Amino acid sequence: MGSLRNPVGPLPSTIYWRRRAVAACLAALLALLAFWALASGDGGGKKPSDAANGASPTPPSITPGPSGSGTAISQQPGGREESGDSGGATGGDGGTGTDPGPTDGGTGHGGSGSGGKNGDTDGAGGDGGAGTGAGQRVPADSPLPNCPSGALQLTLRSSKVSYETGEKPRFLLVAKNTSGTDCKADLGPRNAVLTISDSKDDEVWSSADCPRPGAPVLLRVPARTTITHTVEWDRGRSAPDCATAPAGRAGPGTYLVEAVMPGVKVLPAPFSLAKD
């Protein structure tokens, strides 16, 4: 024990004490390093859960799928909506759009039926534009009441302002039932008479001159609904009571088509036939 307190050697005792102090410091440093290494090893195990640390788990990010490059469909496929024979669609007094005309390619009153002299035929016309439809043909003995003159509004218009050479003019009789009850109207050539005059006010053609057949064209006009009846002119001339009509077709120029129906006032409509 005395050698520990009083170092024995050829060197002064202070040198030995310094060596012992350095050795003690090194030993303490090694002990601290060993302790730190052990502590770090314990921390390398399982980490505490995020919930134990008071932190909420981060939700996984969601990558959106590819978006379509096309235009979204905003309307039903298919074409424009047309009213059926029931005339359920309502509209204005004349409608808009292009009249498809008679289905049989004939001329005269309406778009169906047999042909007659002066290019006159009977039948219900085609669709006259948006919001209107061809009226449903009803038999003569139909219990449907006749449309009162005060409840029926009739409008006449030409499907085009000017017609090219060889093109047959088409005229639209647009009937509107302003009452609250369905009724029938006779838009045949004898009751709804169409007359075409030239710029000199000379009569060129009339649907009443020689209608064949001349039976009534009774069409259902639903309550508060508009229907359209089409009349096509073949540019031929006519004479009263089926007399011999002047030869030749109507030439280029300005014309006026008028409609006369008992108890109903109808404004005329101008149109023109273009030069060759």
Side-chain angles (χ1 to χ4, degrees), residues 88-187:
T90 59
D93 57 356
T96 58
T98 303
D99 171 52
T103 57
D104 63 350
T107 58
H109 246 270
S112 62
S114 59
K117 191 173 180 180
N118 299 331
D120 203 46
T121 57
D122 293 338
D127 181 15
T132 63
Q136 179 185 5
R137 189 83 176 258
V138 296
D141 58 352
S142 170
L144 201 65
N146 295 324
C147 294
S149 58
L152 195 64
Q153 294 180 355
L154 198 65
T155 304
L156 174 64
R157 64 184 178 90
S158 175
S159 64
K160 294 179 64 175
V161 176
S162 179
Y163 296 90
E164 301 297 329
T165 303
E167 187 177 10
K168 297 176 181 179
R170 289 174 180 168
F171 311 112
L172 309 178
L173 278 172
V174 183
K176 181 178 181 180
N177 180 7
T178 61
S179 70
T181 306
D182 291 7
C183 59
K184 65 178 182 289
D186 181 9
L187 299 183

Side-chain angles (χ1 to χ4, degrees), residues 159-224:
S159 64
K160 294 179 64 175
V161 176
S162 179
Y163 296 90
E164 301 297 329
T165 303
E167 187 177 10
K168 297 176 181 179
R170 289 174 180 168
F171 311 112
L172 309 178
L173 278 172
V174 183
K176 181 178 181 180
N177 180 7
T178 61
S179 70
T181 306
D182 291 7
C183 59
K184 65 178 182 289
D186 181 9
L187 299 183
R190 294 185 183 274
N191 192 60
V193 179
L194 265 66
T195 303
I196 297 175
S197 303
D198 58 18
S199 58
K200 298 179 181 179
D201 201 24
D202 294 332
E203 183 177 308
V204 177
W205 176 86
S206 174
S207 65
D209 280 347
C210 192
R212 292 181 182 177
V217 180
L218 300 176
L219 303 178
R220 175 190 293 270
V221 189
R224 298 184 179 87

Side-chain angles (χ1 to χ4, degrees), residues 19 42 48 67 73 76 118 178 230-231:
R19 290 179 178 176
D42 292 339
S67 60
I73 298 175
Q76 285 186 320
N118 299 331
T178 61
T230 303
V231 179

